[in-house]
Amino acid sequence: MFEFQTGIIAALDTSTDMLVCTLARIHDSGFEVLGIADHICRRKANVELVPTLEALLSEQGMGVDALEALLVGRGPGSFTGVRIGISTAKGLAIGAHVPLFGASSLDACAWGAWRTGIRGRVAVAADAMRGELYPALYELNDDGAQRLFERERVVKAAAVVDEWAQLPEANTLQLIGDGLKRYRSLFEEVGFAEQLLPENLWWPSGAGLVHAFVAADGAAHASGNPAAVLPVYTRLSDAEEHERARLGKGVSATLDTSGVADDVAGRHLQLRPMGVADAEAAAALDSAAFEGITHSPWSATSFLEELDESLPVPHSWWVAHDAGELLGFAGGRVVDAHLELLNVAVKSAARRQGIARKLLAQLTYDAQMLGCTSVSLEVEEQNTAAQSLYVSLGFEVVGRRADYYGAGASAFVMSAALPLHLPRDAHSPEPTAEGIKTWSLQRIRRTNQEREALAERQLILAIESSCDETAVAIVDKAGTMLANQISTQIDFHARFGGVVPEIASRKHVEVMVSVVEAALEEASEALGLKSGTLQASELAAISVTQGPGLVGALVVGVAFAKGMAYAAGVPLICVNHLEGHLFANRLTDPTLEPPFIFTLVSGGHTMLVHVRAWGDYEVLGETLDDAVGEAFDKVAKALGLGYPGGPVISRLAESGNASAIDFPRAMMHSHDYRFSLSGLKTAVVSYIEQETAAGRVLHLPDIAASFEAAVFDVQYKKAWDALRETGAQSYCLGGGVAANAHLRALLEQKLTKRGIKVVLPPQQACTDNAAMIAEVARQKFASGEFAQFNVDADPNMSL
Ligand code: KG4
Ligand code: ZN
């Protein structure tokens, strides 16, 4: 429970076109509004939010240090809009070292109306885009605005109109919500024309948001931990919905990452949602796993019933598998903002590998996306192993059901708040006690000497969130890397055969605070700081990838970095991701200086660049179609090897014959520096089809090695041509594909033999990371290239 002293709080909400930014002072008997800067702002929330707060504070004669807490609207609303508000607020809270609270944007609308004296039934029709609304009914009486619904939901606009028109109180219903902008006529057609409240009440307001928070005694019910404040989404991403629908229908997967492919790929322990085809195996596992423990075994039919699409409540079921064998499963139903875990089992031979944790991570992620805030389950009184697992995840015993599993076999009811205490890195088999930690606001006391020593080192924190890795690094002025944290989302994307942008954005919001905190801790340890963890205000600058990349993913990092830098009172530095890949070479050779030729081969880019000076980049040629990494990914997909393709293909290629198949080397002799890879991909696919049709067994290593050779021969040829033409004496490489050992060896050997100095980035700094972003930032810091707080992500940035 957080005790307010001064009570000064800033309320932000960007879930709609209304940019909410209000200052208030909370006191014992309520609150007073100090200043309001709420205004309509279409699609520019990320540009305007921090500057608006800055102006509002200065209008009140305050600095950001006057804020004692932050409050943010969690939606539901526009997905991107909600993420901008929440990410900025998280950054502000970490930067200012104050707690962050969340409140519903729908409640903010209802309370906004209440404050103007409206009483009676009020219906909020908030715009959910794509023909849908977030409908919410309230009773406004002298006690306040009471919710008449359990949890937020998303419904087709026409269905909401019908639903409300059928209500017994339909003719006294008063309508608000930004959905009226778009669907006004639908409501008017059924007779609501006279019941629309004035337009200024249609959007959330800062005063409404604070009121909703104060009325619910929000500070008593939340920890204030910025990591725990997450958007209210009400639905999964489209990709996940389609996947679920497909699995519910028993249609076979288009991308199979199971069976032999796991083996060949050297990838073990995969997770995917349970499909109807898993029911038999799950039932068999269930009866084996619970041997010796009282448990009414589930039949295949029980699983099928839970997977049924027509089940009136949302559900989520996941399985863990390896080489086609089912190792475990977990699943449950969503009932009133609560996940009821129905069954969790792991094959006895596969225990102690963290499988249950991973399954629960997926399950609770789904549950949170579906609006859940808590989870519960029943566990047999005698099953102490399971109980201790749940306790370590944050569950507590909340009840006991006598004879639940039959006479003498009682059950404990355990429950936990979401998110669970889960390992931050889904790949680490054992819990790392990271994830969401207890939030502490302890003030740090440093000696003058310590303070000076920190200032002297000029620490720069860098954030990377352009694709599917959330990464944070901290470097000092001399280039010493003090922290380098990466949280990868690959597990969440792999089953879709590529990165799903909406999932990427969601995961960035979810983990950003913990990754930043982990980096601050890692750096504190590296610095030998005894007097408490490094604080944002002790940094010299905060830098972030501005582009290019997935817009929704970039926005999270940029909004967070702006909030953090502004609140910490340190400069902001924007970095081009492509320049980051280039600067990764400086992690190997800090003396690297232009001019040189640089090849960028990543998942999104393929370019040959003449680096004449730092910042002076002549792009000699780019790909006309697919990027090199993309070609690896597509070929791997065609071979059923899953995502990402690069690492799998290079592993296979090790034992293959590179001259076994003569794949085309497109544009090898085009006498320019452009590349084309789609023809090669097609050639590989036709080869696979032709061999399969002829009944021959595919030799995967040969295909992989021959494909790589076709790609790399062209890369080498053009790089050498460019070196000769420009007269540059040095060469370097970057991007995810630069991690490929064969490409590295080929370029190094051939070019070194020709007298060229070859620099290659450290292998782990080739794929996306923040160390490379920090390296660019270090240079920009030295030359004073700072960004303003009105910058936005730029998904199309080029070199
Ligand atoms: O630079 P990156 O991490 O992300 C982008 O900015 O695009 O590059 C990711 C790409 C993926 O396409 C992946 O398949 C590829 O890099 N990749 C590899 C290897 N490791 C990652 N390609 C070939 N060989 C590898 N060892
Ligand atoms: Zn990249």
Side-chain angles (χ1 to χ4, degrees):
M1 154 114 206
F2 182 73
E3 299 274 355
F4 284 102
Q5 305 291 321
T6 66
I8 310 276
I9 189 166
L12 313 175
D13 187 318
T14 56
S15 59
T16 67
D17 283 345
M18 180 63 74
L19 185 155
V20 167
C21 181
T22 289
L23 275 183
R25 194 172 71 80
I26 293 179
H27 47 66
D28 292 345
S29 50
F31 72 98
E32 62 185 300
V33 172
L34 303 176
I36 300 179
D38 301 1
H39 65 278
I40 288 287
C41 156
R42 278 190 62 86
R43 295 178 186 280
K44 301 205 93 150
N46 202 18
V47 172
E48 293 187 14
L49 187 54
V50 173
T52 303
L53 177 63
E54 193 173 16
L56 181 63
L57 280 166
S58 86
E59 198 183 287
Q60 297 295 316
M62 293 179 191
V64 70
D65 54 337
L67 295 177
E68 209 185 4
L70 283 139
L71 173 65
V72 69
R74 298 170 53 219
S78 137
F79 291 168
T80 307
V82 173
R83 285 192 285 265
I84 289 171
I86 290 192
S87 303
T88 307
K90 281 174 186 264
L92 287 165
I94 296 293
H97 202 59
V98 298
L100 171 65
F101 298 100
S104 155
S105 306
L106 300 178
D107 290 357
C109 291
W111 277 99
W114 188 91
R115 290 174 61 80
T116 65
I118 307 284
R119 295 295 179 269
R121 271 305 140 89
V122 168
V124 185
D127 196 354
M129 269 68 77
R130 295 187 295 184
E132 293 179 310
L133 291 170
Y134 303 112
L137 286 178
Y138 293 83
E139 172 66 19
L140 273 47
N141 56 29
D142 289 343
D143 292 334
Q146 322 291 340
R147 276 182 173 222
L148 301 178
F149 60 98
E150 286 286 354
R151 67 189 189 101
E152 288 83 354
R153 36 184 204 130
V154 63
V155 182
K156 290 259 170 282
V160 174
V161 174
D162 277 353
E163 207 179 297
W164 289 353
Q166 307 291 320
L167 290 173
E169 69 270 32
N171 51 1
T172 56
L173 211 58
Q174 306 165 79
L175 308 191
I176 56 174
D178 66 336
L180 296 176
K181 267 262 170 256
R182 211 188 292 258
Y183 305 110
R184 178 181 200 138
S185 57
L186 286 185
F187 286 97
E188 287 178 344
E189 277 161 24
V190 298
F192 284 120
E194 302 302 316
Q195 293 164 243
L196 309 189
L197 291 176
E199 217 178 301
N200 62 338
L201 299 178
W202 290 7
W203 284 269
S205 66
L209 195 66
V210 179
H211 213 139
F213 172 70
V214 170
D217 204 0
H221 294 106
S223 63
N225 184 348
V229 177
L230 295 171
V232 176
Y233 287 120
T234 71
R235 61 182 169 208
L236 298 169
S237 68
D238 287 351
E240 290 164 313
E241 289 289 7
H242 293 154
E243 174 85 342
R244 224 158 275 277
R246 185 177 63 67
L247 289 163
K249 291 193 188 86
V251 181
S252 76
T254 44
L255 170 75
D256 207 341
T257 50
S258 66
V260 85
D262 286 358
D263 258 2
V264 176
R267 235 192 350 236
H268 294 285
L269 188 60
Q270 299 279 292
L271 300 187
R272 61 174 160 74
M274 184 186 283
V276 292
D278 296 312
E280 291 289 345
L285 199 159
D286 186 71
S287 58
F290 286 99
E291 234 186 289
I293 292 171
T294 351
H295 167 85
S296 7
W298 281 49
S299 63
T301 319
S302 330
F303 285 102
L304 290 176
E305 277 165 10
E306 288 303 320
L307 294 170
D308 192 346
E309 270 299 284
S310 57
L311 204 66
V313 292
H315 50 273
S316 173
W317 283 84
W318 282 81
V319 299
H321 61 108
D322 189 2
E325 186 197 2
L326 209 66
L327 298 182
F329 61 77
R333 294 179 171 196
V334 170
V335 182
D336 299 340
H338 180 81
L339 172 68
E340 283 177 7
L341 264 176
L342 295 175
N343 201 347
V344 182
V346 175
K347 205 180 160 87
S348 51
R351 302 226 170 112
R352 267 175 280 280
Q353 294 176 40
I355 294 179
R357 275 167 207 279
K358 288 185 181 196
L359 287 166
L360 290 173
Q362 292 283 1
L363 207 59
T364 52
Y365 166 79
D366 281 358
Q368 277 187 271
M369 294 309 144
L370 295 165
C372 290
T373 52
S374 58
V375 49
S376 70
L377 54 81
E378 273 101 20
V379 52
E380 224 251 341
E381 213 166 25
Q382 260 69 54
N383 193 352
T384 47
Q387 285 160 27
S388 62
L389 164 74
Y390 294 125
V391 167
S392 75
L393 297 173
F395 280 82
E396 282 173 12
V397 174
V398 293
R400 182 172 180 271
R401 301 227 161 113
D403 302 331
Y404 183 78
Y405 294 109
S410 302
F412 282 131
V413 183
M414 299 184 82
S415 109
L418 293 177
L420 293 180
H421 295 258
L422 289 160
R424 203 186 68 249
D425 181 359
H427 290 290
S428 65
E430 289 305 321
T432 53
E434 280 161 349
I436 295 193
K437 293 186 300 267
T438 324
W439 165 244
S440 128
L441 275 176
Q442 220 180 2
R443 280 283 160 196
I444 307 292
R445 296 192 195 290
R446 307 252 192 252
T447 62
N448 280 342
Q449 207 180 351
E450 281 174 318
R451 212 173 295 129
E452 277 161 28
L454 280 176
E456 173 61 23
R457 293 195 69 151
Q458 295 187 339
L459 304 173
I460 300 175
L461 180 139
I463 298 174
E464 153 66 36
S465 74
S466 67
C467 192
D468 61 343
E469 328 274 352
T470 319
V472 177
I474 299 176
V475 69
D476 72 3
K477 141 180 98 179
T480 316
M481 207 53 69
L482 298 162
N484 190 5
Q485 295 279 333
I486 300 188
S487 166
T488 176
Q489 317 170 344
I490 280 183
D491 283 359
F492 291 84
H493 299 286
R495 68 196 154 107
F496 301 110
V499 176
V500 179
E502 176 61 21
I503 298 178
S505 309
R506 291 180 179 197
K507 292 305 291 179
H508 287 307
V509 176
E510 208 182 306
V511 304
M512 185 60 80
V513 169
S514 6
V515 183
V516 167
E517 284 178 341
L520 289 168
E521 263 160 39
E522 188 188 346
S524 307
E525 212 157 286
L527 290 162
L529 265 186
K530 297 272 180 326
S531 49
T533 313
L534 190 64
Q535 304 291 296
S537 56
E538 294 172 319
L539 299 165
I542 289 166
S543 62
V544 64
T545 300
Q546 186 183 10
L550 301 171
V551 63
L554 289 164
V555 153
V556 172
V558 171
F560 182 92
K562 289 200 294 180
M564 183 170 169
Y566 166 61
V570 304
L572 175 73
I573 298 173
C574 285
V575 174
N576 181 326
H577 180 85
L578 305 180
E579 213 173 355
H581 279 305
L582 166 62
F583 273 64
N585 289 284
R586 298 249 291 191
L587 299 172
T588 302
D589 180 1
T591 66
L592 176 69
E593 285 297 333
F596 56 80
I597 294 295
F598 167 58
T599 302
L600 173 62
V601 273
S602 72
H605 292 84
T606 297
M607 40 171 78
L608 195 58
V609 186
H610 181 201
V611 178
R612 291 186 287 221
W614 294 118
D616 180 4
Y617 308 124
E618 182 192 0
V619 178
L620 301 173
E622 292 188 69
T623 179
L624 298 172
D625 36 60
D626 294 349
V628 172
E630 199 179 351
F632 272 82
D633 295 338
K634 287 182 174 172
V635 165
K637 192 169 179 173
L639 290 168
L641 297 172
Y643 172 86
V648 189
I649 292 201
S650 57
R651 192 163 335 108
L652 282 171
E654 269 158 35
S655 54
N657 171 5
S659 15
I661 310 154
D662 189 19
F663 287 129
R665 280 134 173 89
M667 310 198 57
M668 180 94 144
H669 304 289
S670 60
H671 301 290
D672 63 19
Y673 297 112
R674 293 175 306 166
F675 302 89
S676 167
L677 287 124
S678 68
L680 171 58
K681 175 203 68 199
T682 313
V684 177
V685 172
S686 330
Y687 174 83
I688 298 169
E689 283 168 359
Q690 169 203 317
E691 293 294 295
T692 313
R696 285 190 285 269
V697 178
L698 293 177
H699 194 279
L700 295 180
D702 283 356
I703 299 177
S706 305
F707 162 74
E708 273 195 350
V711 176
F712 298 160
D713 281 354
V714 181
Q715 289 299 327
Y716 163 71
K717 164 84 166 51
K718 301 221 174 195
W720 173 234
D721 286 351
L723 284 158
R724 261 192 321 196
E725 193 189 328
T726 58
Q729 293 300 304
S730 311
Y731 173 82
C732 60
L733 190 64
V737 186
N740 186 292
H742 309 115
L743 178 62
R744 295 166 77 94
L746 176 92
L747 290 165
E748 180 140 47
Q749 281 161 16
K750 290 203 170 180
L751 292 177
T752 311
K753 218 185 291 167
R754 296 183 171 216
I756 301 293
K757 172 183 165 184
V758 177
V759 178
L760 300 172
Q763 211 154 359
Q764 68 286 4
C766 292
T767 43
D768 291 346
N769 64 88
M772 67 187 197
I773 304 301
E775 204 39 41
V776 181
R778 205 162 63 86
Q779 204 193 36
K780 291 196 160 194
F781 182 81
S783 58
E785 275 179 74
F786 301 131
Q788 303 296 312
F789 292 122
N790 63 359
V791 291
D792 202 351
D794 180 357
N796 303 314
M797 233 171 173
S798 65
L799 261 186

